């Protein structure tokens, strides 16, 4: 949800202290503005602690990096809606550990948000391209200046066969409600010898619908890994959804539908084409 300009001004004010699990505004606000700010901070997960030694909104998680992402994008993920959940620093660390980015690796972040993954991937000397559907977050990514390209649009609408050079690494925190579709589409952008690391809802390990069962079979056939994350891994992003990390490697003989796999498929003849 959009952070109103006057609340954004308060939270971005250099006098406001955002540190550890606390957000403290040490200056006077009129009551109407305070109540509206309080509503935003409560929706994110904070609670006012009026004790003299505290006098701050206190969160049940380290809030600094999360608030940085929210303020950069001028929005926050309401607990009443599914959508953008910035990747918490601990999860970013785990993703990068499994990705093993080397100097010059090309990296795709297909749901880049405000740069939680793109920035550290670039700092590891990866050549990062980003896709982001939200114009405000796409603007933030451009302002960060860490990506070679920022494509503003729906990742699922992009054609993997339209690119000449597939990616060595695909790092992603896709929308939880449509995670399988995003990962399957992302594989089409990955090089044969590449690696994909994705955050996914834990439900992919037990759902029995046809798409999820087929996806688990693909993971097993490709000898992929599902790595459990702590139950509260995404609490810093304002959600209690349980998550896992998926790692898939596209080595020789891999069952994965990578970019190269798609290129090797025979062209389908249109039997109904007019002569």
């Amino acid at each position: 949800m959009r952070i109103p300009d006057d609340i954004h001004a308060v939270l971005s004010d250099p006098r406001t202290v955002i540190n550890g699990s606390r957000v403290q505004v040490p200056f006077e606000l009129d009551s109407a503005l305070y109540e509206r700010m309080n509503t935003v901070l409560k929706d994110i997960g904070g609670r006012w602690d009026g004790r003299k030694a505290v006098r701050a909104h206190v969160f049940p998680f380290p809030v600094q990096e999360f608030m940085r992402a929210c303020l950069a994008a001028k929005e926050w993920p309401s607990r009443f809606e599914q959508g953008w959940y910035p990747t918490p620093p601990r999860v970013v660390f785990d993703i990068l550990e499994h990705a093993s980015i080397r100097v010059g690796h090309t990296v795709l972040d297909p749901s880049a948000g405000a740069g939680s993954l793109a920035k550290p991937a670039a700092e590891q000397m990866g050549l990062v391209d980003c896709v982001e559907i939200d114009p405000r977050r796409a603007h933030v990514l451009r302002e960060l200046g860490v990506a070679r390209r920022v494509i503003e649009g729906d990742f699922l609408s992009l054609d993997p066969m339209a690119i000449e050079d597939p990616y060595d690494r695909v790092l992603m925190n896709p929308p939880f409600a449509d995670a399988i579709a995003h990962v399957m589409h992302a594989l089409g952008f990955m090089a044969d010898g590449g690696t994909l690391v994705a955050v996914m809802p834990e439900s992919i390990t037990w759902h029995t619908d046809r798409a999820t069962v087929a996806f688990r079979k693909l993971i097993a056939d490709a000898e992929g890994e599902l790595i459990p994350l702590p139950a509260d891994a995404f609490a810093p992003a304002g959600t209690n959804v349980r998550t896992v990390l998926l790692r898939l490697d596209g080595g020789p003989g891999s069952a994965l539908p990578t970019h190269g796999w798609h290129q090797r498929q025979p062209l389908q003849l249109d039997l109904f084409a007019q002569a």
Side-chain angles (χ1 to χ4, degrees):
M1 293 183 69
R2 180 75 172 171
I3 300 176
D5 289 343
D6 52 357
I7 296 173
H8 186 272
V10 171
L11 295 175
S12 302
D13 191 292
R15 295 171 292 173
T16 297
V17 179
I18 303 175
N19 190 34
S21 61
R22 299 181 183 184
V23 174
Q24 184 178 47
V25 179
F27 50 91
E28 290 294 322
L29 302 178
D30 68 64
S31 60
L33 176 56
Y34 171 80
E35 288 301 329
R36 290 169 53 243
M37 183 189 72
N38 182 55
T39 298
V40 171
L41 294 178
K42 283 177 64 178
D43 195 44
I44 294 171
R47 294 292 181 269
W48 173 252
D49 187 333
R51 291 176 295 174
K52 187 175 181 180
V54 181
R55 297 196 60 79
H57 282 83
V58 179
F59 293 76
F61 53 82
V63 76
Q64 189 168 0
E65 285 299 313
F66 174 65
M67 288 298 296
R68 180 201 65 79
C70 291
L71 292 173
K74 293 190 175 180
E75 66 175 304
W76 85 96
S78 168
R79 59 194 169 97
F80 297 110
E81 64 182 4
Q82 293 293 320
W84 170 57
Y85 294 109
T87 315
R90 178 67 244 186
V91 179
V92 170
F93 178 85
D94 289 343
I95 291 172
L96 294 174
E97 283 284 291
H98 288 285
S100 300
I101 296 171
R102 297 174 187 162
V103 175
H105 271 166
T106 54
V107 180
L108 175 65
D109 183 348
S111 41
S116 297
L117 279 170
K119 186 173 184 291
E123 289 170 350
Q124 292 193 358
M125 304 305 290
L127 304 174
V128 183
D129 290 342
C130 295
V131 182
E132 173 51 44
I133 193 169
D134 184 86
R136 292 163 296 183
R137 296 194 289 269
H139 175 75
V140 171
L141 290 165
R142 294 187 187 102
E143 290 293 305
L144 276 176
V146 298
R148 295 187 307 178
R149 290 194 304 161
V150 176
I151 299 169
E152 182 182 318
D154 181 357
F155 173 61
L156 295 180
S157 72
L158 302 182
D159 180 4
M161 293 298 98
I163 65 168
E164 293 184 6
D165 299 314
Y167 292 89
D168 299 308
R169 300 289 184 267
V170 179
L171 311 181
M172 56 194 305
N173 173 14
F176 292 156
D178 205 15
I180 290 176
H182 278 254
V183 169
M184 292 300 298
H185 193 61
L187 287 169
F189 292 81
M190 189 177 83
D192 279 349
T195 296
L196 177 146
V197 185
V199 179
M200 303 201 76
E202 186 191 55
S203 58
I204 68 159
T205 66
W206 50 264
H207 265 169
T208 57
D209 63 278
R210 183 178 300 178
T212 306
V213 170
F215 186 65
R216 283 200 298 270
K217 184 177 186 304
L218 178 73
I219 295 170
D221 290 346
E223 300 182 353
E225 291 183 88
L226 286 170
I227 303 144
L229 290 171
D232 60 351
F234 266 76
T239 180
N240 292 319
V241 173
R242 286 176 171 266
T243 51
V244 296
L245 280 189
L246 167 65
R247 174 176 170 151
L248 292 169
D249 293 310
S254 169
L256 295 175
T258 62
H259 188 271
W261 180 92
H262 282 286
Q263 287 186 318
R264 291 189 293 271
Q265 301 311 298
L267 294 175
Q268 300 298 312
L269 297 176
D270 185 352
L271 300 180
F272 300 98
Q274 297 294 320

